Amino acid sequence: MVVGSEVVAEKADAARSNLMADGLADYVDLRTGDARSTLADPGGPVDLLLLDGGPGLYLDILQLLIPCLRVGSVVVADNIEDSEDEPHPYARWVRDPANGFVSNSITLKGGTEYSVWVGKRDDD
Ligand SMILES: C[S@@+](CC[C@H](N)C(=O)[O-])C[C@H]1O[C@@H](n2cnc3c(N)ncnc32)[C@H](O)[C@@H]1O
């Protein structure tokens, strides 16, 4: 099951039409609104989280969903390009082992961060 969120209603409607046309609507729960609230309850564990809305939102959304990750769950964040002298702030956070991920950049255009949840939580 795929759960997604799109803040622009027209885009969400267009995506729903495409999913219907392709016979995929039963597999997708597409929510209209700001992902920081619409994804507060994804409805179950999250195996793969794709962040592709805007890098400024990624940490908020990731932290919202950490309680739903399983050990081994993967988080892919697009457009996370390190500057020459320091990592992107999102990358710095997920690469800090204290935050419970093993993480590295993969060499795709614009920078893509691939992170695996290894299960450490603040309340562990
Ligand atoms: C770079 S596009 C990527 C969309 C899709 N992943 C794709 O590859 O076609 C980013 C999308 O995120 C949406 N977006 C931006 N901020 C958002 C938010 N806070 N909550 C949900 N969607 C948001 C934008 O409206 C835009 O459609």
Side-chain angles (χ1 to χ4, degrees):
M1 188 74 194
V2 174
V3 179
S5 186
E6 170 53 56
V7 74
V8 178
E10 295 74 18
K11 289 186 179 183
D13 290 343
R16 277 190 206 96
S17 298
N18 290 337
L19 290 164
M20 288 284 280
D22 291 337
L24 296 172
D26 287 347
Y27 305 101
V28 181
D29 172 4
L30 179 57
R31 303 173 183 184
T32 303
D34 188 324
R36 290 169 289 187
S37 48
T38 57
L39 298 183
D41 177 8
V46 173
D47 298 307
L48 171 66
L49 172 62
L50 172 65
L51 297 168
D52 188 26
L57 307 171
Y58 291 177
L59 262 186
D60 286 348
I61 298 169
L62 178 61
Q63 288 169 353
L64 183 71
L65 290 169
I66 279 177
C68 302
L69 300 180
R70 305 194 233 229
V71 172
S73 291
V74 168
V75 180
V76 177
D78 200 15
N79 303 316
I80 298 298
E81 195 152 42
D82 297 338
S83 67
E84 262 177 40
D85 36 4
E86 60 177 321
H88 189 283
Y90 171 89
R92 191 180 319 119
W93 195 87
V94 286
R95 290 175 198 167
D96 180 347
N99 292 322
F101 289 91
V102 173
S103 190
N104 216 325
S105 179
I106 52 179
T107 49
L108 297 175
K109 184 169 173 276
T112 301
E113 190 74 11
Y114 186 98
S115 313
V116 178
W117 175 248
V118 293
K120 188 174 183 317
R121 297 200 170 109
D122 288 345
D123 57 353
D124 279 349

